[in-house]
Amino acid sequence: MDSMDDTPADGVHDLARGTAGGRPGAAADGPPGGVAVREARGEELAAVAALRWEWVLENGGTPVTTREEFLRYFVGWARENAGSHRCLVVLRGTEVIGMAWLAVVRRVPSPRAPARASGDVQCVYVVPAERDRGLGGLLIDAVRELAREAGLERVTVHSSSRAVPAYRRHGFVASPRLLQAPGDGLAGAGPAGSPGGSARSPGASGDAPESPASGGSGR
């Protein structure tokens, strides 16, 4: 859902359906039996990292590092950025079966509102075996609730075209004033010594964009 292309990433398979009890965008009267949605705990970050790894493989991506190195890097990154990137998980029992992230960006103060911030939905993903059960929609609703609690001005998502209808069902609308331009960085590039941190030639491909407002998506 996080993509600008048509790659079915994140929870696209789940959110693209987005119905429950015949009500578009509804998620029954609560999570399906045995399922819980909440913020991730420190001991669950490795499982979240594993979801991110599987997501890339599912969509034909080629990792630039080993799985073990990526999981270690991801967990460290998540801990270091916990203040700006909040992770929600879907659990069946104690198993992490889905995730969604809310990235918070502080905005320039205004005389009318000194403390300002906006959010970006990123990395919405549900494991294949658990799709078409409304779990992606539950994640999106939970992320939006986090945004409301944090007093964010708006929440964006960079969605694949396939998932756009699902995001619309969960309250997202297109804006003619929200524009984007490509950056000069290379997809997949990172700091030296980190996964993807080695020099890459122009045109080298990284992950398919996940959603600009991405977040599932989102990126």
Side-chain angles (χ1 to χ4, degrees):
M1 298 199 341
D2 211 355
S3 301
M4 296 183 63
D5 62 4
D6 293 327
T7 303
D10 320 77
V12 156
H13 305 79
D14 188 52
L15 283 179
R17 185 160 179 171
T19 59
R23 293 174 290 130
D29 293 322
V35 169
V37 180
R38 59 164 168 75
E39 289 201 65
R41 296 170 181 165
E43 65 270 20
E44 293 163 344
L45 292 176
V48 172
L51 292 184
R52 184 64 162 141
W53 178 269
E54 293 303 323
W55 169 5
V56 170
L57 296 185
E58 179 182 344
N59 288 286
T62 303
V64 298
T65 184
T66 67
R67 185 176 185 276
E68 293 69 24
E69 290 174 337
F70 175 75
L71 265 58
R72 184 167 55 253
Y73 176 82
F74 188 102
V75 170
W77 176 91
R79 293 184 186 280
E80 292 172 5
N81 293 277
S84 61
H85 290 68
R86 299 176 66 177
C87 178
L88 287 164
V89 291
V90 180
L91 302 105
R92 183 173 294 286
T94 59
E95 181 185 5
V96 178
I97 60 175
M99 66 174 172
W101 293 72
L102 175 64
V104 178
V105 178
R106 298 295 173 186
R107 302 183 63 80
V108 177
S110 163
R112 298 193 305 169
R116 305 172 60 215
S118 60
D120 189 55
V121 180
Q122 300 181 357
C123 296
V124 179
Y125 180 80
V126 174
V127 297
E130 295 284 355
R131 290 173 187 164
D132 295 331
R133 299 179 184 181
L135 300 183
L138 288 176
L139 281 167
I140 293 303
D141 289 342
V143 169
R144 291 199 61 203
E145 181 59 29
L146 277 183
R148 281 190 288 270
E149 292 174 357
L152 303 187
E153 292 183 0
R154 64 168 175 266
V155 181
T156 58
V157 66
H158 181 176
S159 178
S160 67
S161 58
R162 179 179 177 181
V164 167
Y167 279 109
R168 288 184 183 278
R169 286 194 295 271
H170 288 270
F172 285 83
V173 296
S175 169
R177 296 193 300 160
L178 185 60
L179 310 178
Q180 66 175 4
D184 294 329
L186 297 178
S194 66
S198 59
R200 303 180 68 183
S201 60
S205 61
D207 276 355
E210 293 151 39
S211 318
S214 194
S217 122
R219 301 183 59 170

